[in-house]
Amino acid sequence: MIFLASIPRSGSTLLTSLLNQRPDVYASPTSNLCDTMGAAVRAWEINPITKSSGGQEEDLIRVLQGIQEARYDTDKLVIDKGRSWPSLQIMKTMMKVQGDVKIIATVRPLVECLASFAKLMEPDNIAEFCKRGELSQHLFNSYTSLQNGYKEYPNNFLFIEYD
């Protein structure tokens, strides 16, 4: 499985549509796979029965592999789209689940992404929208996550510039 983790308004939906034109590829719309696997990890870690029953990390990895395989029952190359994949902890876990991790990321200057959001939302106070708006914060958080993942694992990323 390959992951698509881009900053908002940078062309990931367009790329997904283009990839889905290939008969041997399935590129998901924004997926909940990362959140589902994260919930399984959290439940595993906080459940006292995990330790008392002798649950080991390799058991958790098998559970996560099962979730991943069950989510996409296809022989096609799967590209799962989700903004959380570049998170350092998630990348470390996924390296245990599937070995190598490859992330495709569409990128575009942040100011253009922010302008695109502003054009869609037409806020009354553009300065407030840009500094403290929920969508702006989502954009900046996505950028930071992508940047941190790339700093730690630069060989695991393929950047595609929006043009």
Side-chain angles (χ1 to χ4, degrees):
M1 180 178 294
I2 297 172
F3 305 105
L4 176 58
S6 303
I7 57 176
R9 310 300 301 164
S10 67
S12 60
T13 301
L14 174 60
L15 179 60
T16 299
S17 296
L18 293 171
L19 290 168
N20 276 325
Q21 291 179 12
R22 291 185 52 103
D24 58 340
V25 172
Y26 174 75
S28 75
T30 300
S31 164
N32 69 343
L33 178 61
C34 188
D35 294 334
T36 301
M37 294 174 84
V41 169
R42 284 187 295 283
W44 181 273
E45 291 173 346
I46 65 170
N47 190 334
I49 297 172
T50 300
K51 288 184 182 179
S52 67
S53 67
Q56 301 293 317
E57 183 182 42
E58 55 267 15
D59 301 323
L60 174 60
I61 297 304
R62 278 195 314 279
V63 168
L64 296 176
Q65 288 168 336
I67 292 170
Q68 184 181 29
E69 290 171 18
R71 176 64 177 92
Y72 298 109
D73 185 20
T74 182
D75 292 332
K76 294 180 179 186
L77 172 63
V78 173
I79 301 173
D80 185 88
K81 180 180 172 185
R83 299 210 197 284
S84 300
W85 292 120
S87 162
L88 295 178
Q89 186 60 43
I90 292 170
M91 286 186 70
K92 288 176 188 174
T93 300
M94 291 311 294
M95 287 177 183
K96 294 174 185 174
V97 170
Q98 70 177 36
D100 197 17
V101 170
K102 296 294 182 191
I103 296 177
I104 300 169
T106 55
V107 292
R108 180 181 186 188
L110 282 179
V111 69
E112 290 180 18
C113 296
L114 193 54
S116 178
F117 271 141
K119 185 177 179 180
L120 284 173
M121 302 306 295
E122 299 177 351
D124 293 331
N125 184 332
I126 190 70
E128 186 68 22
F129 175 83
C130 292
K131 289 180 183 177
R132 293 178 194 78
E134 187 176 318
L135 290 174
S136 303
Q137 294 308 308
H138 176 61
L139 173 66
F140 299 141
N141 291 340
S142 296
Y143 174 80
T144 300
S145 177
L146 194 59
Q147 184 180 44
N148 290 340
Y150 177 71
K151 281 181 182 176
E152 186 72 23
Y153 300 105
N155 295 328
N156 296 76
F157 285 83
L158 169 66
F159 290 107
I160 299 175
E161 290 189 42
Y162 180 90
D163 191 5

